[in-house]
Amino acid sequence: MKKFIITALAAAAVSGSTSFAALTYNSDDLVIAFSTSSTVPHTGNTYLVDFGNLSDFIGAGAYATGTHVVNAGQGSAYLADLAAASISLGTATFSIQSANFDDSSLTLSKARTSSGTQSVAFGNGSTGGANGDMLQMFLSLGTTATTTTASNSFSQSTGDDASYGKFVFGSLSPTQAYERYTNPEGSLSQTLDLYAATINGTGNATYLGNFTFNTANGNLSFTAVPEPSTYALLGLGALGLLFKATRRNKNAA
């Protein structure tokens, strides 16, 4: 697994001194980005947190079944960092993304336009460069970062050359873009569906589950999609109950 240490010089709370903030990004780590406003490209600061690897959310991962708070114990730190970056909870947007540096795949959120209804899946494949664009963004996460409270996090200025705020989703221009991947951001009150997409593949991206953010306590929650085998077991269980009920009725008759 490839690992990148991104280090930035940031002003410390103590006057006249400095401290270093660093974000360790591993291939396939999921990064949540909170933007100042919904206007793209964004203005103002962006708050980004690396909150775990994709392996935690698939297969036998800790969050691969049921619903979990994935930033347990850090919610208040998220809220404090958002306030320090002058990002209003009422107007902010958020997105979630990761990039794999070896197999040309990425994961990316898509906001639901209707509550309770899954969004339309992204298509696999790309008009070119989405993975490289995302990698460029991740490698620039700490270029002019400010000190933050939550672990593995940064507040980033839009003035950074490759900042998240300069990316234009669904567009080929400027070059820092997620090309065909439209609508990956939502307001903090919306649900974000998470899709795993293969850059050079065909068909629809794989749906992994969905995220919600609680503006009252800062908790980020993930609800996983049951594996096909889970659906099969549920089906067998229902058939078993139906068989028992039918047998009971016959005996009663």
Side-chain angles (χ1 to χ4, degrees):
M1 178 179 290
K2 295 183 180 180
K3 179 183 291 187
F4 297 86
I5 307 296
I6 305 157
T7 308
L9 185 65
V14 180
S15 177
S17 65
T18 58
S19 65
F20 285 92
L23 187 152
T24 303
Y25 186 80
N26 299 288
S27 183
D28 273 336
D29 276 1
L30 288 166
V31 171
I32 181 172
F34 297 89
S35 296
T36 307
S37 67
S38 59
T39 304
V40 178
H42 301 288
T43 58
N45 297 323
T46 302
Y47 175 55
L48 304 105
V49 187
D50 181 336
F51 62 89
N53 196 263
L54 180 62
S55 60
D56 291 332
F57 298 83
I58 58 177
Y63 309 130
T65 58
T67 299
H68 301 270
V69 174
V70 300
N71 64 332
Q74 291 200 84
S76 59
Y78 279 35
L79 294 179
D81 288 341
L82 286 168
S86 300
I87 298 176
S88 170
L89 300 181
T91 58
T93 59
F94 75 129
S95 66
I96 295 166
Q97 48 266 303
S98 73
N100 185 290
F101 304 145
D102 298 312
D103 65 2
S104 296
S105 65
L106 58 83
T107 56
L108 188 61
S109 57
K110 189 170 186 179
R112 292 186 177 184
T113 56
S114 178
S115 179
T117 303
Q118 182 186 331
S119 59
V120 177
F122 291 122
N124 285 318
S126 171
T127 52
N131 185 274
D133 286 344
M134 197 175 288
L135 172 59
Q136 183 180 8
M137 181 193 74
F138 288 145
L139 291 178
S140 71
L141 287 182
T143 49
T144 56
T146 59
T147 53
T148 52
T149 304
S151 62
N152 223 19
S153 66
F154 273 126
S155 289
Q156 184 185 52
S157 168
T158 307
D160 297 349
D161 288 339
S163 69
Y164 175 94
K166 287 188 176 180
F167 279 71
V168 180
F169 299 108
S171 171
L172 288 173
S173 179
T175 55
Q176 293 168 219
Y178 290 134
E179 282 90 7
R180 66 180 295 162
Y181 301 101
T182 58
N183 200 31
E185 295 179 294
S187 69
L188 301 190
S189 62
Q190 286 181 284
T191 297
L192 299 184
D193 294 318
L194 187 69
Y195 295 96
T198 302
I199 302 300
N200 299 317
T202 59
N204 289 332
T206 303
Y207 180 51
L208 302 179
N210 63 78
F211 285 93
T212 57
F213 184 74
N214 189 322
T215 56
N217 55 26
N219 286 347
L220 180 68
S221 297
F222 177 73
T223 300
V225 176
E227 296 285 345
S229 58
T230 303
Y231 286 117
L233 289 174
L234 290 174
L236 289 174
L239 286 175
L241 291 174
L242 179 61
F243 175 77
K244 286 184 178 180
T246 302
R247 187 173 182 179
R248 189 182 301 114
N249 291 337
K250 286 182 177 179
N251 289 337

